[in-house]
Amino acid sequence: MAEPILEFDDVDIRYRTDGDDVRAVNGASFAIDEGDYFGLVGESGCGKSTIADSIVGGLDDNGEVVSGEIRFKGEQIQDYSESEFNENVRWKEVSVIPQSSMNSLDPVMKLSEQAVEMAKYHTDLSRPAALDRLRELFDVVGLSESRISDYPHQFSGGMQQRAIIAFALFLQPSLIIADEPTTALDVIMQDQIMDYINGLKDDWDVSMLLITHDISLVFENCDSMAVMHGGQIAETGTVDDVFDRPRHPYAILLQNAFPDVRFPDRELAVIDGHPPQLRDEVDFCTFADRCPWAEPACREGAPPATPVAGDDDHLAWCVRAGEMSELAANHLERSTESTSILEGGQ
């Protein structure tokens, strides 16, 4: 069996401050297989973008991977220097579709010149070959090839985002990180952007890490996923597993906080409280103070990874994972039909 293209193995990431350190990511473990579209979902501030930054060496100066391993194609990269990230990872192997395209394109350079600069520093492509490649990629993302010599301000927000996708593909990377790629776009443009991203899967040999707070976006577009809360991975598995058989309380409540057109009368779940401020040692479940099913053991140590129904590919970091189907079904006020989401696979 082929090794994963990206692996996080018990990774801790901290930010140094004048006061106590911020423990942004704690014991994070997951893997992305080659050709897999992997979703990382969780509320703002849970550590998703910190994980993305750590993959390309983009942490702020006060950020540091303090323990664990990040492996890309089997090679440890968490201790790479700036030059090693530039030579071995950034753009050539891993590219990024950022949240804000308007802040990612040089406003005083034509897109064609930006492509030529990228080719100059990362490839041996000639100028004509680089421009031909950009034209090809503009066609892939639904932009007119005649627009490659325009400036960014001559594009709408949706067109700029598509241009960013073209640049992300320019060096034929193995992994694309899409960090909230539809933020600030209207719903029609969001759908178009996701269509372009999904189209890459059939036409390009590429894996993707899709980072979002919208769990429905992951359910619709990814193969596998991880749910994250308070700097900890809460649950991982295939999208079908996490959708049909969620076993971490946060994954269950997050899923049931979204409206479902199949059950218009269903009462939506409410996640009370706020994410924790992680200044002290994180030797507890970070969801414990918000969890309706918490017990003393939840605060007496970081939760272990528990296989769901004996499946090592579907893991929940919860001491009560084996009970959650019954506990949640009794707790949530749901119709008989919607209860099947939790009862599936028991």
Side-chain angles (χ1 to χ4, degrees):
M1 186 174 181
E3 67 181 12
I5 192 169
L6 180 72
E7 298 168 275
F8 265 62
D9 187 0
D10 200 24
V11 173
D12 288 357
I13 303 174
R14 296 182 189 175
Y15 291 103
R16 297 181 301 277
T17 69
D18 292 336
D20 296 326
D21 289 353
V22 175
R23 302 167 191 271
V25 176
N26 301 278
S29 295
F30 64 88
I32 301 177
D33 291 332
E34 191 169 340
D36 193 22
Y37 272 26
F38 187 94
L40 181 59
V41 65
E43 58 200 340
S44 298
C46 72
K48 304 187 303 297
S49 292
T50 291
I51 282 179
D53 290 341
S54 71
I55 298 168
V56 293
L59 292 172
D60 292 340
D61 290 341
N62 66 331
E64 181 185 6
V65 178
V66 296
S67 63
E69 294 182 0
I70 303 173
R71 295 185 291 273
F72 180 75
K73 292 186 174 180
E75 179 80 16
Q76 290 189 39
I77 64 172
Q78 73 276 356
D79 297 322
Y80 267 11
S81 65
E82 187 76 5
S83 61
E84 287 174 319
F85 271 113
N86 283 333
E87 182 177 350
N88 301 316
V89 178
R90 293 175 185 151
W91 292 107
K92 185 183 298 185
E93 286 286 0
V94 182
S95 62
V96 179
I97 302 172
Q99 294 186 34
S100 177
S101 56
M102 295 180 185
N103 297 330
S104 303
L105 296 168
D106 190 327
V108 299
M109 287 184 69
K110 296 178 180 179
L111 296 180
S112 55
E113 295 307 312
Q114 295 184 49
V116 170
E117 284 291 300
M118 185 183 297
K120 176 182 176 181
Y121 287 104
H122 296 284
T123 76
D124 56 2
L125 289 176
S126 65
R127 179 185 178 88
L131 296 179
D132 284 344
R133 179 152 184 78
L134 186 60
R135 292 188 187 96
E136 173 191 345
L137 291 171
F138 265 40
D139 182 61
V140 168
V141 300
L143 293 174
S144 171
E145 297 177 14
S146 65
R147 301 294 301 274
I148 68 167
S149 294
D150 285 353
Y151 289 94
H153 73 267
Q154 295 176 279
F155 289 77
S156 67
M159 292 171 70
Q160 288 186 24
Q161 196 71 347
R162 280 181 275 170
I164 284 290
I165 296 174
F167 278 107
L169 292 169
F170 192 81
L171 299 181
Q172 297 181 304
S174 301
L175 175 67
I176 295 176
I177 299 173
D179 190 357
E180 301 281 7
T182 59
T183 295
L185 299 177
D186 63 72
V187 292
I188 294 176
M189 186 54 63
Q190 286 180 24
D191 190 56
Q192 290 181 5
I193 292 297
M194 290 311 303
D195 281 346
Y196 288 123
I197 289 175
N198 285 330
L200 303 177
K201 191 171 188 180
D202 297 327
D203 301 329
W204 298 74
D205 184 17
V206 66
S207 305
M208 184 168 295
L209 172 59
L210 173 63
I211 296 173
T212 180
H213 63 275
D214 187 346
I215 196 170
S216 62
L217 200 63
V218 170
F219 285 154
E220 292 170 2
N221 297 285
C222 293
D223 305 299
S224 304
M225 65 182 295
V227 179
M228 191 171 187
H229 176 272
Q232 292 176 335
I233 300 296
E235 188 161 352
T236 62
T238 67
V239 165
D240 287 342
D241 282 341
V242 177
F243 181 80
D244 291 333
R245 295 173 293 279
R247 289 298 182 266
H248 189 283
Y250 181 66
I252 291 170
L253 293 173
L254 183 64
Q255 179 175 332
N256 283 274
F258 278 81
D260 190 325
V261 295
R262 298 171 302 170
F263 314 113
D265 298 326
R266 185 181 76 187
E267 182 175 341
L268 299 182
V270 176
I271 304 176
D272 294 321
H274 301 281
Q277 298 294 316
L278 301 175
R279 300 282 183 170
D280 299 320
E281 195 70 31
V282 183
D283 55 356
F284 55 90
C285 173
T286 59
F287 191 58
D289 289 342
R290 308 174 71 186
C291 179
W293 306 287
E295 59 183 19
C298 302
R299 298 177 174 86
E300 295 172 354
T306 302
V308 175
D311 183 357
D312 290 335
D313 293 326
H314 182 193
L315 302 173
W317 278 257
C318 176
V319 297
R320 306 193 73 181
E323 308 172 72
M324 283 314 305
S325 177
E326 182 178 354
L327 291 172
N330 290 335
H331 176 83
L332 298 171
E333 295 182 8
R334 313 174 60 172
S335 68
T336 302
E337 293 84 359
S338 64
T339 302
S340 63
I341 293 179
L342 287 176
E343 292 179 343
Q346 292 189 64

